[in-house]
Amino acid sequence: MSEENHTNFPPRYDPKPVEEKWYRFWEENGFFTANPESPKPKFSIVIPPPNVTGSLHMGHALDNTLPDILIRRKKMQGFETLWLPGTDHAGIGTQVKVEQMLAKEGKTRFDLGREEFLRRAWEWKEKYGNEIVKQLRRLGCCLDWSRFRFTLDEVCARAVREAFVRYYEKGLIYRGLRIVNWCPRCRTALSDLEVKYQEEKSQLWYIRYPYADGTGGVTVATTRPETMLGDTAVAVNPEDKRYQAVVGKMLRLPLTERLIPIVADEAVEMDFGTGAVKVTPAHDPVDFEIGERHGLARLKVIDDDGKMTALVPAKYQGMTREECRRAVVEDLKEQGLLEKIEDYEHAVGTCDRCGTAIEPLASEQWFVKMKPLAEPAIRVVEEGKVRFYPERWNKVYLDWMRNVKDWCISRQLWWGHRIPVWYCNCGKVIVAREDPVECPDCHSKSLRQDEDVLDTWFSSALWPFATMGWPEETIDYRTFFPTDFLTTDPDIIFRWEARMIFSSLEFTGRIPFVDVYIHSTVLDKTGARMSRSKGVGVDPLEIIEHYGTDACRFTIAYLESQSQSYRLWNERFELGRNFANKVWNACRLVAPHITGINSVFLDPNELTALDNWVVMRFNETLERVDKGIDSYTFSTVAQALYDFFWHDLCDWYLEFAKRRLKAQDNTVKAVLYHLFRGSLQMLHPIMPFITEELWHRLEMGGRSILESSWPKPLPAKSDTLWLVERMRDVIGGIRQVRAEMRVPAKSTVECIVNTGNEELAKFLKEQELLICELAKVSTVKFGSTRPRGSVVIVFSDCEIYVPLSGVVDVEKELERLRREVGELERLIAEIDRRLGNPDFLERAKNEVIEREQARREEFAARRERLKRILEVY
Ligand SMILES: [Zn+2]
Ligand SMILES: [Zn+2]
């Protein structure tokens, strides 16, 4: 195919202009806009709303590439699709950003006041909050931008208000004093999921508390000596024989003059420290409960800024927690009450956002009662109405939901949905959908709204239906809710998926989505988690810039194999780029033969055995692609397409077809037309841009490939499949022998087929010309005598002899191969020794071990290949 002139078809694929052109085209022509009145079947997805503070990272690339694959295929399958975009206001995240900006002006949010702070936060959002939106366009996502939502916009705000009031009216929201995770820097309560635990080398201090009557004392062990100033009891386990006699006795709390009792409580672990523990009900969740059970006072000795309060002796007041710890330890030492100090490693909770150590504080917060909400949310997953993929996540979800604790939903922030609760001086509490003007009881107009805002996840939990207009029964809500699919990374199953499920069941009576695909965690080259904040990992924008969006998307799909995690680094995207180039080059090659030969009929009776084979392979590929997408095994989809297009179609069939194309054979043109058409269509969901471009270059018809119908199997007869596969093996075998025995490229060899299978013999004879051309043999002979100096290739139904005497120095080449086998064996043994050494395994990084294993596999495969040539000689 050298005679064609492709002046209009650039030899290289340049992604950038193609991507810009087609995204604009799709968007401007309304390809992404859903029509709720369409009679077509429906398919809908809502985006996991990225934070307005966000910039595209690998997690987003996965969250959005995978749904886009589904949406594009569904469009081609004739569905009316909606993929709804939006962003999340990211309460704490945005507030921290704005506070950092203020800090540069030397101000805090309290200098500005709530109203001015919010004005600045909105300003910040308008200016920086749209980056992520632009970046999603570059990824090629079919998002319906006309339906864009923001979790703080009016539609979402109304849903939040409605949800809060309904929960409250049902008694599912309550205000209560609880120990919360308090971040003294962010000055807000955090949910358990927003606390990160870090192992810390610390100490265990043993402090002697004397009895009030001066007869001795009890020793307690603690990791936080500064909190002793807030102790209101010492507790022991009622089963603990060591202390049974002293339960009820009073102790004199050192450094203060307070008297505190010894109480017996089952929550105390007998084998921790001395078995006696200090009880600080205001600063520890377990102590809080012990305090409730024994009616102990709660002394708040640490304030919201993490400083010591007026309830401690004057000398410690105003100290930070750390300063106070040093002072208390010093003073106890001086008084001879510090018995000993042990090294101790334990997990310290820190703020997910700013890293400050969490202070457990007793404070008034709003909670959602979880037990009644959890029950139906467990049922829908148990009954398979909501399905997690891969399946193992069903159990993870259920375990969490079965043990769920009440959800603390108030945050002491300003950026967010303010809690719709008002207080009147007469004591009336008003919870209302509309801002109240006056108190319904005393008609006072001076009402105070609750200062707190809701946890960001409270609004995210309503996302799938709030975005569709709920509580209004809008046409979008009626048409596109519940949604069909959702994908996220595993980190937010509890924060998000779980909360959407129970919220949706509570408010709409329906599940929010049917299938949830939890994608793999992407690790960096060394196997560490990618971290945006640390600046390690792959930047998808850089990848798009360097390799193109389709290469990025193809590689993501290729690696997404339902495993827990995989490693990723920039060069891995070469796979996608090389494949895109292969697709481009192949289309360029066939363009002169198939361009514009629209809707040619493929008559199965006209197909040769070779045509039949490739059509069958196409049909198998289509089946694998369909099954793969339907079961969310994206890697099998990408691999099937890669193997078919690169190997079956380009490596083999295009070679088979050359001669007939030269002869202007119409059947081969028709076959190629259908194969390329179908391949571009199957590739489109993963590689939207290049396929759209090629679709137009090959004049496949219509406005867009996105409007064409998803391919169907092509007509074929299956009886000759194995013959072609065998011929391919024979050609491949001869090529390998030529390469291993170093037959000069220009030399031809003979081949002798020894087979008792007449059908095969007949077929290989028919294809002699092709075999001669592709395997560079002069003639295909038949016979059962193996000539001297020939290499033998063995198959189940035939043997192929390749005589090499006179072509190469056979003995010399074999000797070389034997030496190579010896060398390979030496290398394999060396690796085995290393991998068998426990010392090495312990010290080596995973990366190194994996590389060694891969090398071993490669060597072993080569050894087997060479041995086959040597052994059968
Ligand atoms: Zn913080
Ligand atoms: Zn009132």
Side-chain angles (χ1 to χ4, degrees):
M1 263 161 289
S2 50
E3 69 271 22
E4 294 83 25
N5 175 10
H6 318 292
T7 43
N8 299 326
F9 211 129
R12 285 183 57 84
Y13 175 54
D14 181 8
K16 208 166 288 170
V18 169
E19 291 170 9
E20 278 162 22
K21 173 176 72 180
W22 290 119
Y23 198 84
R24 202 175 330 116
F25 175 84
W26 294 324
E27 197 179 349
E28 283 172 5
N29 285 279
F31 284 109
F32 302 157
T33 315
N35 173 13
E37 275 158 358
S38 153
K40 295 175 183 176
K42 307 298 184 294
F43 184 83
S44 62
I45 301 179
V46 289
I47 196 172
N51 289 344
V52 278
T53 51
S55 170
L56 197 75
H57 56 69
M58 273 320 294
H60 296 130
L62 267 78
D63 282 354
N64 294 292
T65 296
L66 305 178
D68 199 50
I69 292 172
L70 302 189
I71 287 277
R72 284 181 185 269
R73 173 161 166 274
K74 286 289 180 190
K75 280 186 192 291
M76 294 169 79
Q77 286 179 320
F79 282 72
E80 185 64 32
T81 64
L82 166 62
W83 188 13
L84 192 144
T87 49
D88 193 286
H89 67 280
I92 251 192
T94 308
Q95 177 144 341
V96 167
K97 292 261 183 200
V98 179
E99 284 178 342
Q100 284 165 352
M101 194 176 72
L102 292 177
K104 283 187 196 141
E105 302 168 22
K107 289 183 188 148
T108 71
R109 65 171 148 135
F110 301 102
D111 297 329
L112 265 66
R114 188 167 195 140
E115 208 173 306
E116 177 59 13
F117 179 84
L118 287 177
R119 202 188 57 76
R120 298 283 288 266
W122 277 101
E123 216 175 76
W124 186 93
K125 184 249 166 194
E126 293 308 323
K127 198 163 168 198
Y128 302 107
N130 291 318
E131 271 314 294
I132 187 80
V133 175
K134 286 185 222 146
Q135 293 163 347
L136 289 171
R137 286 182 153 90
R138 290 208 63 190
L139 206 56
C141 301
C142 288
L143 288 157
D144 183 348
W145 297 107
S146 69
R147 287 177 164 82
F148 188 86
R149 292 260 74 89
F150 175 51
T151 48
L152 273 186
D153 70 17
E154 268 174 46
V155 172
C156 293
R158 174 150 185 239
V160 165
R161 186 69 77 93
E162 180 71 25
F164 188 96
V165 176
R166 283 201 201 175
Y167 273 144
Y168 186 83
E169 286 169 350
K170 274 185 84 171
L172 289 171
I173 277 188
Y174 65 93
R175 193 157 196 239
L177 190 65
R178 282 295 153 93
I179 291 281
V180 295
N181 307 298
W182 183 265
C183 173
R185 202 229 55 95
C186 298
R187 291 181 57 99
T188 180
L190 303 172
S191 76
D192 292 343
L193 297 169
E194 290 163 325
V195 178
K196 245 206 309 257
Y197 287 89
Q198 282 168 340
E199 280 300 317
E200 203 173 81
K201 282 202 173 67
S202 173
Q203 276 149 346
L204 199 55
W205 286 268
Y206 287 78
I207 309 170
R208 185 115 185 116
Y209 286 10
Y211 292 132
D213 60 13
T215 56
V218 171
T219 300
V220 297
T222 179
T223 56
R224 302 197 56 197
E226 70 279 13
T227 60
M228 68 158 291
L229 301 172
D231 284 0
T232 50
V234 162
V236 296
N237 191 294
E239 304 289 311
D240 196 335
K241 299 236 160 38
R242 295 171 291 180
Y243 298 107
Q244 275 168 351
V246 297
V247 170
K249 241 177 126 104
M250 297 305 279
L251 296 161
R252 185 176 302 278
L253 185 67
L255 311 184
T256 72
E257 285 310 305
R258 278 190 293 114
L259 298 184
I260 60 172
I262 299 174
V263 300
D265 196 285
E266 274 159 5
V268 179
E269 295 169 40
M270 287 194 272
D271 48 8
F272 173 79
T274 59
V277 295
K278 55 197 267 331
V279 182
T280 324
H283 296 285
D284 181 278
V286 177
D287 293 5
F288 181 90
E289 283 167 22
I290 295 177
E292 293 267 271
R293 286 194 284 272
H294 299 274
L296 302 173
R298 279 187 292 263
L299 296 184
K300 187 172 169 180
V301 292
I302 299 169
D303 70 11
D304 294 357
D305 294 320
K307 299 225 169 97
M308 304 313 289
T309 65
L311 293 177
V312 302
K315 117 164 241 208
Y316 307 109
Q317 287 174 18
M319 285 184 176
T320 65
R321 294 173 288 177
E322 297 76 18
E323 287 163 356
C324 183
R325 175 177 300 184
R326 281 192 295 274
V328 162
V329 169
E330 205 48 49
D331 293 346
L332 288 170
K333 219 183 263 171
E334 216 162 82
Q335 297 187 17
L337 293 171
L338 194 61
E339 229 163 56
K340 60 173 173 175
I341 305 174
E342 273 175 4
D343 284 338
Y344 189 70
E345 205 163 299
H346 68 139
V348 174
T350 58
C351 170
D352 197 18
R353 287 287 155 187
C354 74
T356 306
I358 291 304
E359 183 59 46
L361 278 188
S363 80
E364 286 276 336
Q365 301 286 345
W366 289 96
F367 292 86
V368 172
K369 219 181 261 176
M370 282 305 306
K371 270 278 161 280
L373 293 168
E375 276 164 31
I378 289 167
R379 219 157 37 236
V380 290
V381 172
E382 279 175 344
E383 289 169 0
K385 289 179 179 139
V386 174
R387 294 180 294 249
F388 283 87
Y389 295 80
E391 220 192 308
R392 59 179 179 272
W393 294 110
N394 283 311
K395 184 177 179 313
V396 174
Y397 167 89
L398 286 171
D399 284 349
W400 187 79
M401 207 45 127
R402 286 177 185 135
N403 296 300
V404 68
K405 295 208 190 75
D406 286 357
W407 175 18
C408 171
I409 51 168
S410 41
R411 295 290 180 277
Q412 290 64 48
L413 301 172
W414 288 348
W415 177 246
H417 295 280
R418 194 159 174 184
I419 289 182
V421 175
W422 288 262
Y423 306 96
C424 176
N425 286 332
C426 75
K428 176 83 183 166
V429 174
I430 306 151
V431 177
R433 288 173 177 83
E434 304 291 336
D435 292 9
V437 187
E438 57 168 41
C439 170
D441 286 6
C442 73
H443 304 288
S444 159
K445 288 197 166 51
S446 74
L447 303 171
R448 261 179 321 107
Q449 187 171 3
D450 199 293
E451 291 292 327
D452 292 352
V453 299
L454 289 163
D455 180 4
T456 301
W457 296 100
F458 189 92
S459 48
S460 322
L462 315 177
W463 185 248
F465 44 98
T467 51
M468 308 249 185
W470 181 89
E472 277 322 297
E473 287 253 336
T474 63
I475 182 159
D476 273 4
Y477 176 80
R478 288 200 310 271
T479 311
F480 294 110
F481 184 81
T483 63
D484 295 276
F485 177 79
L486 181 84
T487 184
T488 72
D489 67 42
D491 286 0
I492 57 173
I493 294 182
F494 311 139
R495 296 185 203 207
W496 199 38
E497 274 90 341
R499 286 168 181 165
M500 280 190 281
I501 294 173
F502 69 69
S503 306
S504 182
L505 291 169
E506 173 66 20
F507 296 121
T508 72
R510 298 159 85 180
I511 53 172
F513 34 70
V514 180
D515 289 346
V516 186
Y517 178 70
I518 303 297
H519 61 67
S520 307
T521 302
V522 182
L523 308 174
D524 70 10
K525 206 171 188 169
T526 66
R529 277 189 84 115
M530 284 198 187
S531 154
R532 265 160 290 157
S533 49
K534 280 187 238 151
V536 291
V538 173
D539 173 2
L541 291 171
E542 208 178 283
I543 297 300
I544 288 172
E545 218 30 60
H546 192 69
Y547 297 100
T549 299
D550 291 326
C552 176
R553 294 170 56 124
F554 186 82
T555 309
I556 285 175
Y558 196 92
L559 295 172
E560 185 54 41
S561 64
Q562 301 207 349
S563 62
Q564 295 271 19
S565 62
Y566 60 83
R567 292 180 195 182
L568 194 60
W569 54 92
N570 286 11
E571 291 73 29
R572 285 200 98 166
F573 290 91
E574 284 169 8
L575 171 100
R577 188 204 42 202
N578 294 345
F579 187 53
N581 287 339
K582 186 76 187 177
V583 173
W584 182 266
N585 291 336
C587 287
R588 185 166 178 269
L589 196 75
V590 299
H593 305 289
I594 67 168
T595 303
I597 59 166
N598 227 331
S599 54
V600 264
F601 175 65
L602 200 60
D603 180 354
N605 296 316
E606 302 267 300
L607 300 185
T608 67
L610 299 173
D611 300 336
N612 247 311
W613 166 77
V614 78
V615 167
M616 295 287 295
R617 286 289 301 131
F618 172 87
N619 291 346
E620 277 169 38
T621 306
L622 177 60
E623 201 185 321
R624 282 179 69 192
V625 167
D626 278 329
K627 273 197 186 142
I629 297 182
D630 288 336
S631 61
Y632 315 119
T633 46
F634 296 96
S635 64
T636 63
V637 175
Q639 278 168 24
L641 287 165
Y642 184 96
D643 288 345
F644 172 73
F645 195 88
W646 197 304
H647 300 304
D648 296 325
L649 186 52
C650 294
D651 286 351
W652 292 105
Y653 189 71
L654 281 181
E655 294 295 324
F656 295 160
K658 264 185 187 172
R659 203 169 271 279
R660 289 160 70 203
L661 275 177
K662 257 186 201 154
Q664 299 292 330
D665 179 316
N666 280 330
T667 306
V668 86
K669 283 188 187 177
V671 172
L672 281 174
Y673 174 82
H674 286 283
L675 295 180
F676 274 85
R677 182 184 174 90
S679 297
L680 290 177
Q681 288 172 318
M682 285 194 283
L683 282 167
H684 178 74
I686 305 183
M687 306 179 99
F689 294 109
I690 191 172
T691 51
E692 183 76 286
E693 177 70 17
L694 289 167
W695 184 264
H696 289 269
R697 286 189 176 275
L698 298 176
E699 296 170 23
M700 294 284 184
R703 287 194 303 168
S704 163
I705 187 171
L706 198 49
E707 279 185 329
S708 71
S709 306
W710 186 250
K712 291 188 180 63
L714 297 170
K717 296 173 290 189
S718 62
D719 47 353
T720 55
L721 201 63
W722 73 275
L723 291 170
V724 182
E725 304 263 304
R726 177 62 72 238
M727 178 179 88
R728 211 179 50 164
D729 297 342
V730 168
I731 294 170
I734 298 171
R735 283 175 172 175
Q736 208 180 70
V737 166
R738 291 184 58 108
E740 296 300 354
M741 295 298 282
R742 299 206 291 197
V743 175
K746 279 183 212 136
S747 309
T748 50
V749 294
E750 277 190 346
C751 86
I752 298 150
V753 179
N754 178 9
T755 180
N757 188 315
E758 276 176 35
E759 203 184 352
L760 179 62
K762 182 167 163 274
F763 182 71
L764 292 178
K765 192 70 204 162
E766 275 168 22
Q767 302 296 335
E768 182 176 5
L769 216 56
L770 204 53
I771 297 169
C772 288
E773 208 173 272
L774 298 181
K776 287 206 179 148
V777 291
S778 53
T779 150
V780 178
K781 289 184 182 162
F782 292 81
S784 54
T785 325
R786 173 166 20 143
R788 286 286 307 158
S790 63
V791 171
V792 184
I793 310 162
V794 180
F795 298 105
S796 57
D797 41 27
C798 69
E799 289 186 345
I800 311 289
Y801 309 133
V802 186
L804 293 173
S805 301
V807 183
V808 293
D809 183 340
V810 179
E811 247 334 292
K812 196 181 112 201
E813 295 304 331
L814 288 176
E815 188 44 42
R816 183 180 51 79
L817 292 185
R818 276 186 213 109
R819 273 200 311 275
E820 194 182 336
V821 169
E823 175 63 13
L824 286 167
E825 267 161 4
R826 194 186 61 76
L827 287 169
I828 290 167
E830 198 181 290
I831 294 173
D832 284 347
R833 232 181 354 262
R834 212 169 303 155
L835 291 178
N837 177 353
D839 264 6
F840 170 80
L841 291 178
E842 197 162 306
R843 276 180 295 113
K845 288 196 179 124
N846 278 339
E847 198 188 345
V848 176
I849 293 171
E850 273 170 31
R851 203 175 49 218
E852 288 294 289
Q853 281 163 343
R855 273 178 73 216
R856 194 202 185 282
E857 252 169 61
E858 195 186 306
F859 293 157
R862 174 146 183 81
R863 178 186 61 182
E864 289 320 301
R865 264 200 321 271
L866 295 185
K867 271 187 159 174
R868 267 201 303 273
I869 292 177
L870 290 169
E871 275 166 14
V872 293
Y873 180 70

